[in-house]
Amino acid sequence: MTSEAPLAVQAAITGLSNYRLSSGDILTVRVLGEEDLSKEKVRLTDAGTVSLPAIGEVRAFGLTMGELERAVEDALRGRYLVNPKVSVSIDEYRPFYINGMVEKPGGYPYQPGLTVRKAASLAGGFRERASLSKIYIIRERDVTQRSQRGDLNTLVFPGDIVTVDESFF
């Protein structure tokens, strides 16, 4: 079981997304009944902000979609609308990266439920000399940027870097 299992279990129980927004995510922000205040397919800036009509720049970095919805509602409430209803959806997640002994190393679009096995498939599969027991992941959210050991079933998240080492036997 991976270290992310508690988050996945928690999300399944609550039905809410624990996904944290960051630079590069592309969002659609809709204000119910207010097309002029809505914005489609907007990419979070390198600072993790999004610019919205009437309220300007809103910090989204590290927030869940629900938290961003509440922040936008609070910014609109009173000055512009009496009781705003906001929905946020992710159009495109930021990429993950895979290198080492895969056919096509590089960055690939993240997909929810992604594992190392699925990530390698997106990268054309493992090379003949790939070591399936020497898989390492650097988590985007890990401030130390330390490599952690993984396996084929380890979850991969946006911004993560997966390295598949070479087998010497």
Side-chain angles (χ1 to χ4, degrees), residues 30-34 37 69-87:
R30 289 193 175 88
V31 181
L32 183 66
E34 301 290 334
L37 297 177
E69 287 171 356
R70 285 188 293 283
V72 173
E73 287 172 353
D74 291 345
L76 290 170
R77 186 173 288 113
R79 293 190 304 185
Y80 301 101
L81 300 171
V82 175
N83 191 20
K85 297 291 181 206
V86 174
S87 70

Coordinates of all heavy atoms in Angstrom, one line a residue, residues 30-34 37 69-87:
R30 N -17.2 28.6 -13.3 CA -18.5 29.1 -13.7 C -19.2 29.7 -12.6 O -19.3 29.1 -11.5 CB -19.3 27.9 -14.3 CG -18.8 27.4 -15.6 CD -19.8 26.5 -16.3 NE -19.3 26.2 -17.7 CZ -18.5 25.2 -17.9 NH1 -18.1 24.4 -17.0 NH2 -18.1 24.9 -19.2
V31 N -19.8 30.8 -12.8 CA -20.7 31.5 -11.8 C -22.1 31.3 -12.4 O -22.5 31.8 -13.4 CB -20.4 33.0 -11.6 CG1 -21.3 33.6 -10.6 CG2 -18.9 33.1 -11.3
L32 N -23.0 30.6 -11.6 CA -24.3 30.2 -12.0 C -25.1 31.5 -12.4 O -25.2 32.4 -11.6 CB -25.0 29.5 -10.9 CG -26.4 29.0 -11.2 CD1 -26.4 27.9 -12.3 CD2 -27.1 28.4 -10.0
G33 N -25.6 31.5 -13.6 CA -26.4 32.6 -14.1 C -25.7 33.9 -14.4 O -26.3 34.9 -14.7
E34 N -24.3 33.8 -14.4 CA -23.5 35.0 -14.7 C -22.4 34.7 -15.6 O -21.2 34.5 -15.3 CB -22.9 35.5 -13.4 CG -23.9 35.9 -12.3 CD -24.7 37.2 -12.7 OE1 -24.2 38.0 -13.5 OE2 -25.8 37.3 -12.2
L37 N -19.2 36.6 -15.7 CA -18.2 36.4 -14.5 C -17.5 35.1 -14.6 O -16.7 34.8 -13.8 CB -19.0 36.6 -13.2 CG -19.6 38.0 -12.9 CD1 -20.3 37.9 -11.6 CD2 -18.5 39.0 -12.9
E69 N -13.8 27.3 -5.0 CA -15.2 27.7 -5.2 C -15.6 28.6 -4.1 O -16.2 29.7 -4.4 CB -16.1 26.4 -5.3 CG -16.0 25.6 -6.5 CD -16.7 24.3 -6.5 OE1 -17.3 24.0 -5.4 OE2 -16.7 23.6 -7.5
R70 N -15.3 28.3 -2.9 CA -15.7 29.1 -1.7 C -15.0 30.5 -1.8 O -15.6 31.5 -1.5 CB -15.4 28.4 -0.4 CG -16.5 27.3 -0.2 CD -16.3 26.7 1.2 NE -15.1 26.0 1.4 CZ -14.9 24.7 1.0 NH1 -15.8 24.1 0.3 NH2 -13.8 24.1 1.2
A71 N -13.7 30.5 -2.2 CA -12.9 31.7 -2.2 C -13.5 32.7 -3.3 O -13.7 33.9 -3.0 CB -11.5 31.4 -2.6
V72 N -13.9 32.1 -4.4 CA -14.5 32.9 -5.5 C -15.9 33.4 -5.0 O -16.2 34.6 -5.2 CB -14.6 32.2 -6.8 CG1 -15.4 33.0 -7.9 CG2 -13.2 31.9 -7.3
E73 N -16.7 32.6 -4.4 CA -18.0 33.0 -3.9 C -17.9 34.1 -2.9 O -18.6 35.1 -2.9 CB -18.7 31.8 -3.3 CG -19.2 30.8 -4.2 CD -19.8 29.5 -3.6 OE1 -19.6 29.3 -2.4 OE2 -20.4 28.7 -4.3
D74 N -16.9 34.0 -2.0 CA -16.7 35.0 -1.0 C -16.3 36.3 -1.6 O -16.7 37.4 -1.2 CB -15.6 34.6 0.0 CG -16.1 33.4 0.9 OD1 -17.3 33.2 1.0 OD2 -15.2 32.8 1.6
A75 N -15.4 36.3 -2.7 CA -15.0 37.5 -3.3 C -16.1 38.2 -4.1 O -16.2 39.4 -4.2 CB -13.8 37.2 -4.3
L76 N -17.1 37.4 -4.6 CA -18.2 38.0 -5.3 C -19.4 38.4 -4.4 O -20.1 39.3 -4.8 CB -18.8 36.9 -6.3 CG -17.9 36.6 -7.5 CD1 -18.4 35.4 -8.3 CD2 -17.8 37.8 -8.4
R77 N -19.5 37.8 -3.2 CA -20.6 38.0 -2.3 C -20.6 39.5 -1.8 O -19.6 40.0 -1.4 CB -20.6 37.1 -1.2 CG -21.8 37.2 -0.3 CD -21.8 36.1 0.8 NE -22.1 34.8 0.2 CZ -21.3 33.8 0.1 NH1 -20.1 33.9 0.6 NH2 -21.6 32.7 -0.5
G78 N -21.7 40.1 -1.9 CA -21.8 41.5 -1.4 C -21.5 42.5 -2.4 O -22.4 43.3 -2.8
R79 N -20.3 42.5 -3.0 CA -20.0 43.6 -3.9 C -20.6 43.4 -5.3 O -21.0 44.4 -5.9 CB -18.4 43.6 -4.2 CG -17.6 44.0 -3.0 CD -16.2 44.3 -3.3 NE -15.6 43.1 -3.9 CZ -14.3 43.0 -4.2 NH1 -13.5 44.0 -4.0 NH2 -13.9 41.9 -4.8
Y80 N -20.8 42.2 -5.7 CA -21.4 41.9 -7.0 C -22.6 41.1 -7.0 O -23.5 41.3 -7.8 CB -20.3 41.2 -7.9 CG -19.1 41.9 -8.1 CD1 -17.9 41.7 -7.3 CD2 -19.0 43.0 -9.0 CE1 -16.8 42.4 -7.4 CE2 -17.9 43.8 -9.1 CZ -16.7 43.5 -8.3 OH -15.6 44.2 -8.5
L81 N -22.7 40.1 -6.1 CA -23.9 39.2 -6.1 C -24.3 39.0 -4.7 O -23.5 39.0 -3.7 CB -23.5 37.9 -6.8 CG -23.1 37.9 -8.2 CD1 -22.6 36.5 -8.7 CD2 -24.3 38.3 -9.1
V82 N -25.6 38.7 -4.5 CA -26.1 38.4 -3.1 C -25.7 37.0 -2.7 O -25.2 36.9 -1.6 CB -27.6 38.6 -3.1 CG1 -28.2 38.2 -1.7 CG2 -28.0 40.0 -3.5
N83 N -26.0 36.0 -3.5 CA -25.7 34.6 -3.1 C -25.1 33.9 -4.3 O -25.8 33.1 -4.9 CB -26.9 34.0 -2.6 CG -26.6 32.6 -1.9 OD1 -25.5 32.4 -1.5 ND2 -27.7 31.8 -1.8
P84 N -23.8 34.1 -4.6 CA -23.2 33.5 -5.8 C -23.0 32.0 -5.6 O -22.8 31.5 -4.5 CB -21.9 34.2 -5.9 CG -21.6 34.7 -4.5 CD -22.9 35.0 -3.9
K85 N -23.2 31.3 -6.7 CA -22.9 29.8 -6.7 C -21.9 29.6 -7.8 O -22.1 29.9 -8.9 CB -24.2 29.0 -7.1 CG -25.3 29.2 -6.1 CD -25.0 28.5 -4.8 CE -26.1 28.6 -3.8 NZ -25.7 28.5 -2.5
V86 N -20.7 29.0 -7.4 CA -19.6 28.9 -8.2 C -19.2 27.4 -8.4 O -19.3 26.7 -7.4 CB -18.4 29.7 -7.7 CG1 -17.1 29.4 -8.5 CG2 -18.7 31.2 -7.6
S87 N -18.9 27.0 -9.6 CA -18.3 25.6 -9.7 C -17.0 25.7 -10.5 O -16.8 26.6 -11.3 CB -19.3 24.7 -10.5 OG -19.4 25.1 -11.9

